[in-house]
Amino acid sequence: MILCANFKANKTRQETRAYMAVVESFVSVNEIDDTVIVFPPFTALEHLPRNVLIGVQNAYPVENGAYTGEIALEQLEEFEVKTILIGHSERRHILGETQEQIAAKFRFFAEKGFAIIYCVGEPIEIRQQGADALMRYVDAQFVGIDCNYTDLILAYEPVWAIGTGLTPTSDQIVDMHAVLRTKTHAPLLYGGSVKVDNAGSIMALENVDGVLVGSASLSANDFCEMIALAAQLKNV
Ligand code: PGA
C-alpha cells in the first residue's frame, strides 16, 4: 500500500518536525514496509535522512528563473526532493491551473525522474450528469499525461469528497478505479475524506493501492493508525 499525507497550507516547520518524529518512529518500530509519503509545506522541507518519503505539493516546471513566488527544480534539489503532487483539484480549481499547464509540469518533472502523484477527479455537477459526462471529464484530465510513465502513481480524488466528509460509495470507487486500471499499470490511490474510520475498508477495495489523505493526516496519530490498517490488510 501507499499512504500519502497532504498537509496543504497547514503546519509550521516546528509542527512538521514533531509530526515527522512520530511517523518515522512508528514506521521504524513497526517495521512498516508500505510506502509512506508526506507532503509538507515548502517552509518545512529539511534535508535529513528519513525512513519515509517527502514530496512537494507543487513546483514550477523550470530549473530556476524569474517566476516570482514559485519554487523550481533547483530549490527542490537542495532538499533532494524527488516526489511531487501534480493536478490536485485545489490547484486546478482554486489556483486555476489549466490542463495544458498541468501537462507541462508533468512532462518536466517526468523528464527529471520525479515520482509523480497525479490527481484526477470530477466535481459533483459532472457526476450528476451521468456516466458519459463523468468519463469525458476524467478523460480530459489525461490530455498530455503519459500514463506509462514508470514513476507514476495515480490518485482518484472526486472534488466533492475533498475536505467535505462525503465519500463515494464503495461501488463508485471500484467502478472508477476499474476504468483507471484500463489506462495505466500505475498504483491507484483513492483520496477524499479518508479517515481512520474508513481507510481500512477503502484500501481493501479492488484496484485501490493506497490512499491520499488531507485533513485526517494532520494528526500524526491518525495517520499512523491508517498506516497500521494498511499493514494489517497484508496479513489477512
Ligand atoms: P481530504 O483531502 O482528506 O481533506 O478530503 C484529500 C486531498 O485533498 O488530497
Side-chain angles (χ1 to χ4, degrees), residues 41-122:
F42 288 125
T43 52
L45 289 178
E46 293 193 83
H47 188 199
L48 295 171
R50 296 197 186 274
N51 61 4
V52 304
L53 287 164
I54 296 291
V56 285
Q57 303 166 21
N58 179 46
Y60 203 69
V62 292
E63 306 265 345
N64 54 36
Y67 302 95
T68 301
E70 294 294 322
I71 298 277
L73 182 68
E74 190 175 278
Q75 288 82 46
L76 301 186
E77 281 176 345
E78 183 173 25
F79 295 98
E80 292 190 12
V81 169
K82 292 292 278 176
T83 304
I84 185 167
L85 264 184
I86 296 180
H88 191 279
S89 79
E90 283 152 15
R91 298 214 55 89
R92 292 179 191 267
H93 299 291
I94 303 176
L95 283 306
E97 282 188 14
T98 63
Q99 186 60 28
E100 212 172 309
Q101 289 170 323
I102 289 167
K105 217 172 256 193
F106 189 102
R107 275 193 302 277
F108 180 86
F109 286 102
E111 207 169 282
K112 302 297 176 193
F114 273 60
I116 297 176
I117 291 77
Y118 184 68
C119 307
V120 298
E122 81 290 352

Side-chain angles (χ1 to χ4, degrees), residues 17-207:
R17 266 187 201 150
Y19 182 99
M20 292 308 297
V22 174
V23 172
E24 288 200 84
S25 132
F26 183 87
V27 164
S28 117
V29 169
N30 295 285
E31 298 178 3
I32 299 295
D33 59 4
D34 297 276
T35 303
V36 177
I37 315 176
V38 178
F39 296 87
F42 288 125
T43 52
L45 289 178
E46 293 193 83
H47 188 199
L48 295 171
R50 296 197 186 274
N51 61 4
V52 304
L53 287 164
I54 296 291
V56 285
Q57 303 166 21
N58 179 46
Y60 203 69
V62 292
E63 306 265 345
N64 54 36
Y67 302 95
T68 301
E70 294 294 322
I71 298 277
L73 182 68
E74 190 175 278
Q75 288 82 46
L76 301 186
E77 281 176 345
E78 183 173 25
F79 295 98
E80 292 190 12
V81 169
K82 292 292 278 176
T83 304
I84 185 167
L85 264 184
I86 296 180
H88 191 279
S89 79
E90 283 152 15
R91 298 214 55 89
R92 292 179 191 267
H93 299 291
I94 303 176
L95 283 306
E97 282 188 14
T98 63
Q99 186 60 28
E100 212 172 309
Q101 289 170 323
I102 289 167
K105 217 172 256 193
F106 189 102
R107 275 193 302 277
F108 180 86
F109 286 102
E111 207 169 282
K112 302 297 176 193
F114 273 60
I116 297 176
I117 291 77
Y118 184 68
C119 307
V120 298
E122 81 290 352
I124 192 65
E125 63 275 14
I126 299 293
R127 180 164 278 275
Q128 284 163 346
Q129 285 166 27
D132 287 353
L134 174 58
M135 282 333 300
R136 263 198 311 278
Y137 189 90
V138 172
D139 280 346
Q141 296 181 318
F142 283 98
V143 173
I145 302 302
D146 176 7
C147 287
N148 297 316
Y149 177 56
T150 347
D151 265 320
L152 172 65
I153 297 171
L154 188 61
Y156 170 53
E157 297 208 301
V159 179
W160 49 276
I162 297 180
T164 58
L166 300 171
T167 43
T169 63
S170 299
D171 284 351
Q172 286 172 327
I173 298 177
V174 168
D175 288 352
M176 181 56 83
H177 279 233
V179 172
L180 297 178
R181 181 48 77 229
T182 65
K183 293 181 183 290
T184 180
H185 296 299
L188 302 178
L189 310 184
Y190 168 77
S193 295
V194 175
K195 36 191 169 314
V196 174
D197 291 351
N198 61 16
S201 55
I202 291 173
M203 287 189 285
L205 296 173
E206 202 175 349
N207 286 318

